Amino acid sequence: PPKTPAQIAADEARIKEAIATSVGGVVFGATLGGVLDAQFPMEDILGDNAIAPALLGTLFGASGFAGAVSDTPISPIVRAALGGPTKAVTSAITGAIEQAATQAANEVSAIPGKVGKAIETKVEETVDEIKAIPEKVAVSAKQAATEAAQEIKATPKRVKDAAQEA
């Protein structure tokens, strides 16, 4: 008989947990191997110090996978110890990516509103400048008339001063 959707979901969850536990085992084993190699340096046959991290990474990764897929009393401990941190890191990374994507989508969605507001502001500024033109012309004409009147008032004194100098 075919599997029910609940059985398929349970299988998928078990596979994801097994993969997370295996990855956690590889990381833990490689880290432990690196620490051991740094504390007790010993070149292997190839003249390389990578054998301990590779060997322990493989050993812990395979053990983690085997422990995650089996139903022994120690399986929940293996899943929690090796798979738990891996799932937490994966969840944090996924959350950060989703948050960045949401923020980017919100900013892109806000662009039309920002453009519309900028256009509206520019139109308002232009309308205000157009409305101010008659007042600017009046102020300019008044200033020119005042300067011309002052020139006219000063002309008799200039004529008198010029006549006295001659």
Side-chain angles (χ1 to χ4, degrees), residues 7-56:
Q7 291 172 324
I8 293 172
D11 287 348
E12 288 177 356
R14 191 176 183 108
I15 290 169
K16 286 180 181 178
E17 190 165 37
I19 291 170
T21 304
S22 181
V23 168
V26 169
V27 171
F28 176 74
T31 303
L32 179 63
V35 169
L36 289 175
D37 198 43
Q39 292 296 318
F40 309 106
M42 187 182 332
E43 290 188 5
D44 63 15
I45 299 169
L46 301 174
D48 191 354
N49 290 334
I51 194 77
L55 182 64
L56 288 175

Side-chain angles (χ1 to χ4, degrees), residues 26-125:
V26 169
V27 171
F28 176 74
T31 303
L32 179 63
V35 169
L36 289 175
D37 198 43
Q39 292 296 318
F40 309 106
M42 187 182 332
E43 290 188 5
D44 63 15
I45 299 169
L46 301 174
D48 191 354
N49 290 334
I51 194 77
L55 182 64
L56 288 175
T58 303
L59 176 70
F60 277 94
S63 299
F65 184 80
V69 295
S70 65
D71 285 325
T72 65
I74 200 165
S75 294
I77 297 169
V78 171
R79 287 185 209 115
L82 298 179
T86 304
K87 290 191 291 187
V89 168
T90 303
S91 177
I93 290 171
T94 303
I97 290 170
E98 287 174 355
Q99 183 180 6
T102 300
Q103 184 178 2
N106 289 342
E107 288 186 25
V108 168
S109 297
I111 288 174
K114 289 178 182 178
V115 169
K117 181 64 178 167
I119 291 171
E120 183 181 323
T121 301
K122 189 62 180 174
V123 167
E124 288 174 1
E125 289 173 4

